[in-house]
Amino acid sequence: MTTNMTTLAPSASEKFTQRALPFILFALLLIVIPFIGVSRGTLTLFNHIGINIVFALSYNMLLGRAGLLSFGHAVYLGLGGYFCVHILNWIADADGSGFWGNVPVFSLPIFGFAMGALAGAIIGWPSCRRAGTAFAMISLGVAELMSTAAFMFDSLFGGEMGISGDRMSGPKFFGLSMGPIEQVYYFIAFWTLVGTVAMYAFTRTPLGRLSEATRDNAERVQFIGYDPTRVRYLVFIFAGAFAGMAGGMSAVQDEIFTPDSLSLIPSGAILIATYIGGIRFFAGPIFGAILMTYMGSNLSDYTAGWLLYLGLMFISVVLFVPDGIAGLVFGFWRGIRSPGRYALIGKWITQILGLALVATSVIVVVEVAYRWSDGYGDVFAPFGFDLPHNGALTWVIGTLPLLAGILILRRVKRTESEA
Amino acid sequence: METIVFSLLNGMIYGLLLFMLSSGLTLIFSMMGILNFAHASFYMLGAYFAYTIMGVTNFWLALFLAPVLAGGVGMLVERWGLRRVHVNGHVAELLFTFGLAYLIDEVVRIIWGRNAVNYKVPEALDFTLFTLYGSNYPAYRIFILFVAVFMLVSLWYLLKRTRIGLIIQAALTHPHMVGHLGHNVPLVFMSVFGAGCALAGLAGVIGGNYFITDPAMAVQMGPIVFVVVVVGGLGSLEGAFLAAMLIGILQTSAVSINASFSDIFGFLGLTASSELGRITVAQLAPTLPFLLLVLVLIARPRGLMGEREV
């Protein structure tokens, strides 16, 4: 039997809609955002989202593509970022003369990229000899080592205060002084797009393909003549490089880096963001980065328990939705175009109802618990209902919807597995 | 001499505490292939449970009940959480415990507050046992030593000399065969997970008032316990013991050495005014376990006593 390979390959229009169109739309979106009249605070949020998109995508090169679980990816962002803050100061000191005097601040992510790659090449060499759990533990150890050691070298890392710079120094690039937040936005948008396209292109290279093969079966990769350790090492360097690039973007946006940026906390945050977004899809980390950055900056204004919600959300994703937000989004997109869409929509509505019931109880319990714990005597009063910690109504709302919601969700799942 | 004796004694106690934590982690790892990221959270739970129980009754009841409670929480986690994610592979399991650590941290903050609680050494043990080189040595430290050693000996006896231990060891390597022989392997897994968490809880009961009981104690202890397990060789109890003692003594002695790099490497021309020369050995102490981890993994990737490449 002969199969005509040309009929299996995607047609030119399919290639366009699947590979080029999403990026064109993404670029248009990035350009349009400042014109819809957003406030300075929102632009700052968008800048942080852009940084985290690049960071999360670089993290997914390891976790999703190469199957390497790292607990220390912030090290590369931090080192790239620190290098760029130093460069900011060198540019300011050079005052227009010499090499640094001619470097525009706009190009900083390139230096961050190089520094991240260098750090990845040095640290990756001992870590990438192992995969799986051992790799995860080594990355954890390296992150702790770096963040504790950073406090010893004040001239490099600036101690507790960190190191700060001034993004307005140096030559202008296309008339951008980098002072106003709009200009920083375009800087971030440009590099976010560059990073996203470059990392997508990376997945299409032989190395990107091999990294996925190594994740799935390292032994077979060895059989066909490639060295899995080498593949992991190379991917690790690229992942570090793109994280360093995000660091360079962050150095310009925030103009400061502290040793805490190397620690386990930002590494854990990006792990959570990437996983919630969905590690099996290229776009997953983008969704995750947008949601987590938004939650991190806004949810903390509404509730003291946002870290708890974050943890609950992460655990629920690990337990019930291993494909993350991207899995949900693409599943919805596929379902809505399939012939059985009406049955599916019915199922989704039931599931959303169940989830809403569970969420109601969880929110009530968490909010009441935090107010009880604070001891200020605050009472959680949503929509005018008083819900004190010792009120009967509180306990009814805290338990009954939860049970009802769980029952509904289980029922949906059972009918699904029967069908 | 004085410093050496004290460092050795304190280092040994710290090392034994580390081993209590890492023995549970090692057991769980070698049985289920899960590195329980939330292990140190159970250590913290043990300390907080003991604090609460001690407030109601006394320390001795807490010493018994708090680990049991921590173990119970662990069993629930295994039954309703880990067993579900098991189908999604080891990375999902590790991530689940990672999220769990976050949750336990926050829940502890809700229940017991953000600041350290006043979990004190019981009065019956709060006296000077002996005087060494003119310094008083508290009895509680020796008590920790005894509890740890007692626990270790019973663990060793349970695993190596009893029928239960035999089944556990068999389930480590041949879970299917053990299942075919009529043993309830999931129950064995759940019990081992619970027992590991109970051990961590016990370490928390006796370590919580030796150090400090606050919501950050899990985050501080966690990474060091992982270092112990990896340096010792994943899955090896003997290795974990060696590594725990090594790190315990290393870290405790380093804290008591005030010499700076310029004192040690002065012959290389390192001056006290340079940044590198100013660093003292005591300052270096928190980085030592991680330095050791990286060095060991470069020289010997399977750890000190590890039998297999993991």
Side-chain angles (χ1 to χ4, degrees):
Chain A
M1 195 183 90
T2 54
T3 314
N4 191 352
M5 283 303 186
T6 46
T7 54
L8 283 179
S11 68
S13 72
E14 276 172 341
K15 274 184 186 170
F16 178 75
T17 47
Q18 283 172 10
R19 296 178 194 166
L21 193 62
F23 290 105
I24 294 172
L25 290 178
F26 187 46
L28 283 176
L29 182 72
L30 287 175
I31 295 172
V32 165
I33 282 173
F35 292 106
I36 52 178
V38 286
S39 67
R40 292 172 55 84
T42 319
L43 269 186
T44 314
L45 174 69
F46 277 122
N47 288 350
H48 284 134
I49 287 178
I51 295 163
N52 280 340
I53 285 177
V54 176
F55 189 28
L57 281 173
S58 80
Y59 184 72
N60 204 36
M61 285 169 86
L62 291 180
L63 180 61
R65 301 278 153 183
L68 293 168
L69 174 61
S70 164
F71 287 110
H73 203 52
V75 167
Y76 310 97
L77 177 127
L79 289 178
Y82 259 114
F83 184 54
C84 290
V85 177
H86 280 293
I87 293 178
L88 275 180
N89 289 330
W90 294 336
I91 291 174
D93 291 342
D95 207 17
S97 61
F99 176 68
W100 292 118
N102 291 310
V103 172
V105 170
F106 198 87
S107 65
L108 274 192
I110 299 173
F111 293 95
F113 187 88
M115 189 63 197
L118 183 68
I122 295 170
I123 300 172
W125 181 74
S127 357
C128 286
R129 298 202 286 175
R130 318 285 301 280
T133 312
F135 174 86
M137 289 305 105
I138 298 168
S139 69
L140 181 85
V142 167
E144 280 286 294
L145 185 65
M146 293 304 290
S147 59
T148 42
F151 281 103
M152 290 175 200
F153 300 97
D154 283 0
S155 64
L156 285 178
F157 296 101
E160 302 246 334
M161 301 293 295
I163 289 205
S164 48
D166 177 14
R167 64 181 175 220
M168 286 176 69
S169 46
K172 285 185 181 175
F173 184 76
F174 285 123
L176 291 175
S177 73
M178 305 302 273
I181 191 82
E182 290 83 13
Q183 297 192 2
V184 181
Y185 171 79
Y186 279 115
F187 160 81
I188 298 271
F190 174 77
W191 286 107
T192 306
L193 191 67
V194 168
T196 313
V197 172
M199 277 185 272
Y200 181 73
F202 181 83
T203 64
R204 313 281 314 162
T205 61
L207 179 61
R209 296 279 160 193
L210 264 178
S211 80
E212 286 170 56
T214 312
R215 168 197 68 193
D216 292 337
N217 197 329
E219 208 167 26
R220 286 200 189 171
V221 170
Q222 218 161 1
F223 285 156
I224 56 169
Y226 294 98
D227 181 3
T229 315
R230 203 180 149 86
V231 173
R232 281 188 208 115
Y233 181 48
L234 288 173
V235 172
F236 192 84
I237 293 176
F238 275 101
F242 281 107
M245 187 173 134
M249 291 157 68
S250 174
V252 175
Q253 155 63 30
D254 294 331
E255 301 176 293
I256 185 165
F257 258 87
T258 59
D260 284 333
S261 60
L262 303 166
S263 73
L264 290 178
I265 295 161
S267 301
I270 207 63
L271 158 61
I272 292 178
T274 309
Y275 198 85
I276 288 183
I279 58 168
R280 278 187 231 172
F281 299 88
F282 180 78
I286 301 181
F287 294 131
I290 294 172
L291 183 73
M292 287 299 109
T293 319
Y294 180 77
M295 277 177 74
S297 80
N298 284 32
L299 204 59
S300 50
D301 294 344
Y302 292 112
T303 168
W306 73 277
L307 270 175
L308 189 64
Y309 290 123
L310 200 67
L312 281 173
M313 198 160 111
F314 179 65
I315 286 203
S316 320
V317 169
V318 172
L319 278 174
F320 305 111
V321 210
D323 283 343
I325 302 172
L328 292 180
V329 170
F330 292 128
F332 175 75
W333 185 238
R334 257 198 313 276
I336 205 86
R337 293 188 303 172
S338 73
R341 65 177 78 98
Y342 295 110
L344 271 177
I345 290 174
K347 190 189 108 185
W348 288 332
I349 290 176
T350 341
Q351 275 179 325
I352 289 173
L353 180 73
L355 267 180
L357 287 171
V358 171
T360 313
S361 283
V362 169
I363 290 173
V364 165
V365 169
V366 169
E367 292 302 320
V368 170
Y370 267 98
R371 280 169 180 73
W372 166 79
S373 163
D374 281 346
Y376 296 138
D378 266 3
V379 173
F380 180 49
F383 311 113
F385 290 109
D386 265 5
L387 297 176
H389 67 91
N390 48 7
L393 183 65
T394 313
W395 290 100
V396 170
I397 300 182
T399 48
L400 284 187
L402 182 72
L403 291 175
I406 290 175
L407 281 179
I408 291 175
L409 290 175
R410 283 180 78 125
R411 207 188 151 84
V412 171
K413 192 149 195 189
R414 207 174 310 134
T415 49
E416 192 178 42
S417 57
E418 276 167 6
Chain B
M1 188 62 208
E2 193 183 328
T3 327
I4 294 174
V5 170
F6 273 110
S7 295
L8 275 181
L9 255 176
N10 292 339
M12 221 160 77
I13 291 164
Y14 183 48
L16 280 170
L17 269 178
L18 278 181
F19 180 63
M20 279 172 92
L21 273 165
S22 41
S23 59
L25 197 62
T26 302
L27 270 183
I28 292 169
F29 179 80
S30 44
M31 177 156 277
M32 309 196 244
I34 305 168
L35 210 50
N36 180 11
F37 214 92
H39 203 70
S41 305
F42 287 97
Y43 160 78
M44 174 163 75
L45 278 182
Y48 274 101
F49 283 153
Y51 163 74
T52 304
I53 296 170
M54 203 175 149
V56 182
T57 57
N58 59 33
F59 177 74
W60 306 106
L61 208 61
L63 187 65
F64 172 74
L65 271 182
V68 172
L69 277 176
V73 174
M75 283 164 95
L76 288 179
V77 164
E78 202 278 335
R79 177 66 188 79
W80 297 105
L82 278 175
R83 216 178 276 183
R84 296 188 76 116
V85 282
H86 185 72
V87 284
N88 296 335
H90 286 328
V91 168
E93 288 170 328
L94 192 55
L95 288 176
F96 173 77
T97 58
F98 177 73
L100 189 71
Y102 256 75
L103 274 194
I104 294 181
D105 265 22
E106 278 299 305
V107 171
V108 161
R109 283 198 175 95
I110 291 182
I111 300 180
W112 286 283
R114 292 176 181 275
N115 302 321
V117 294
N118 187 16
Y119 176 33
K120 276 190 298 205
V121 173
E123 272 175 29
L125 291 168
D126 198 10
F127 60 92
T128 304
L129 193 66
F130 52 82
T131 309
L132 206 65
Y133 302 106
S135 313
N136 297 333
Y137 204 80
Y140 191 70
R141 293 189 190 179
I142 302 301
F143 172 74
I144 293 180
L145 200 75
F146 272 111
V147 173
V149 170
F150 173 75
M151 188 241 37
L152 294 185
V153 173
S154 14
L155 181 70
W156 175 83
Y157 184 81
L158 181 79
L159 281 178
K160 302 276 178 187
R161 289 284 180 273
T162 63
R163 202 176 151 70
I164 302 171
L166 198 69
I167 296 168
I168 292 176
Q169 283 196 322
L172 285 183
T173 47
H174 300 87
H176 292 294
M177 194 64 217
V178 175
H180 291 317
L181 287 172
H183 298 287
N184 188 346
V185 176
L187 184 72
V188 174
F189 278 15
M190 189 167 102
S191 321
V192 168
F193 196 86
C197 294
L199 279 180
L202 182 64
V205 177
I206 57 177
N209 48 8
Y210 176 56
F211 300 114
I212 186 167
T213 304
D214 64 0
M217 64 193 284
V219 183
Q220 280 162 3
M221 204 57 149
I224 299 180
V225 177
F226 288 126
V227 171
V228 168
V229 175
V230 178
V231 166
L234 281 166
S236 157
L237 269 179
E238 295 87 347
F241 181 74
L242 268 182
M245 295 314 263
L246 184 68
I247 287 174
I249 292 174
L250 204 68
Q251 221 179 349
T252 319
S253 342
V255 173
S256 55
I257 299 173
N258 247 331
S260 68
F261 272 19
S262 59
D263 299 337
I264 302 167
F265 299 108
F267 60 90
L268 293 174
L270 199 64
T271 56
S273 53
S274 68
E275 196 164 15
L276 199 62
R278 262 206 311 274
I279 298 170
T280 62
V281 177
Q283 256 182 310
L284 210 61
T287 62
L288 280 178
F290 307 108
L291 210 59
L292 188 73
L293 171 79
V294 174
L295 290 179
V296 164
L297 284 169
I298 291 172
R300 198 179 155 84
R302 62 201 164 100
L304 292 178
M305 307 274 283
E307 281 149 21
R308 51 184 169 147
E309 293 261 332
V310 190

